[in-house]
Amino acid sequence: MAKKAKKQDYMEKVEELAKSMGLKLAKNEEEVIKKLLKKYPDKFPNKMLVPKIFAVVINCSVGKSGEPLEKARKILEELTGRKPKLIRAKKTIKQFDIHKKQPIGWVITLRGQEAFDFLKRAISVYDFKVYEGSMDKYGNFSFGIDEHIKLPGTRYDPELGTIGFDVSVTMERAGYRVARRRLRKSKIPERHRVKKEEVILYLKKMGLRVVPGKK
């Protein structure tokens, strides 16, 4: 119950911040889908064609093991309520004193409503703006947070300090499972892939700002 109340508290702060900027954020993905189906019936004749958030991945690279790594883990757990997965170095980099298989960071993958809510919370750091220049041709995009305390509802803990992390958003639509299944795996045809323009429509109906150029 405490975690649920805490989440509700910081999401209320996100909503208040958006409202102060003249924005109204969608509560969930179903609300976004309904708006897209209603406004763009020619582009999205059925629900299966509407793009969705497949995953929001939080990647925190500490670059060293020991106490800094442990502090980063605690902060990420506090931010997401999820246990992060350890990242190990793939190769040795002597100039940075990094050895192969050395623990150097954490990664967390969020899906569903958790992904939707965390994206709203994280993008609020940029005044709810998504830059077109940060998106690839399939609408996937990434951005960085230099200090986690910038997220609404986050308190500074002097014992843990601050961390930065990258947020990567992957967009898909129904049918992408064929590329991940173990048996009879196949590629997604280009005609069925989510397009950048479709994701821009999704983000706007989500209540975010999409601006040209790069940050």
Side-chain angles (χ1 to χ4, degrees):
M1 290 295 292
K3 287 184 178 179
K4 188 175 182 181
K6 189 173 182 179
K7 181 179 179 181
Q8 184 177 357
D9 180 59
Y10 72 64
M11 286 311 299
E12 286 178 357
K13 286 182 170 59
V14 172
E15 298 289 343
E16 289 173 4
L17 181 59
K19 189 176 180 180
S20 69
M21 297 179 182
L23 302 173
K24 184 178 180 181
L25 302 178
K27 296 292 184 182
N28 51 53
E29 195 163 56
E30 282 301 314
E31 183 180 332
V32 178
I33 292 172
K34 287 179 181 179
K35 288 180 179 179
L36 289 172
L37 290 173
K38 184 177 181 179
K39 186 165 184 179
Y40 305 102
D42 294 334
K43 185 177 286 291
F44 305 115
N46 64 72
K47 185 177 179 179
M48 305 297 281
L49 294 176
V50 178
K52 299 179 181 179
I53 298 175
F54 172 68
V56 171
V57 179
I58 305 159
N59 191 316
C60 176
S61 180
V62 180
K64 62 179 77 175
S65 54
E67 188 178 6
L69 192 66
E70 181 62 18
K71 288 182 178 180
R73 180 188 66 79
K74 291 179 180 178
I75 290 173
L76 290 173
E77 285 188 359
E78 184 72 16
L79 288 176
T80 65
R82 293 285 180 176
K83 290 185 178 181
K85 181 180 178 181
L86 187 64
I87 299 174
R88 295 181 181 273
K90 294 182 179 179
K91 60 182 179 180
T92 297
I93 306 176
K94 291 183 179 180
Q95 57 266 41
F96 294 109
D97 197 27
I98 294 176
H99 307 285
K100 188 176 181 179
K101 295 186 178 180
Q102 175 186 342
I104 58 171
W106 303 99
V107 63
I108 296 177
T109 300
L110 302 176
R111 304 189 194 281
Q113 189 64 36
E114 284 184 315
F116 192 85
D117 288 341
F118 189 83
L119 175 57
K120 290 193 293 184
R121 188 183 182 193
I123 205 66
S124 68
V125 175
Y126 292 98
D127 296 333
F128 302 97
K129 293 178 182 177
V130 177
Y131 292 85
E132 289 186 26
S134 67
M135 304 171 70
D136 65 17
K137 67 177 183 178
Y138 301 122
N140 305 309
F141 60 96
S142 300
F143 57 93
I145 305 292
D146 58 351
E147 292 184 330
H148 77 280
I149 56 173
K150 291 182 177 180
L151 271 65
T154 305
R155 293 182 179 180
Y156 175 70
D157 186 338
E159 293 184 1
L160 298 178
T162 61
I163 62 168
F165 53 83
D166 294 318
V167 179
S168 297
V169 182
T170 303
M171 304 295 296
E172 293 189 358
R173 67 166 127 238
Y176 273 52
R177 187 182 69 85
V178 298
R180 292 190 295 273
R181 63 189 181 187
R182 292 185 178 182
L183 300 176
R184 300 177 65 185
K185 185 183 294 186
S186 60
K187 292 183 178 180
I188 305 297
E190 190 66 27
R191 66 179 181 276
H192 188 68
R193 281 187 172 273
V194 174
K195 304 299 187 296
K196 181 177 180 179
E197 295 74 21
E198 295 172 332
V199 174
I200 289 175
L201 295 178
Y202 177 100
L203 294 174
K204 287 181 177 180
K205 290 303 175 185
M206 188 176 169
L208 305 182
R209 300 166 173 169
V210 181
V211 296
K214 296 182 179 181
K215 179 182 174 299

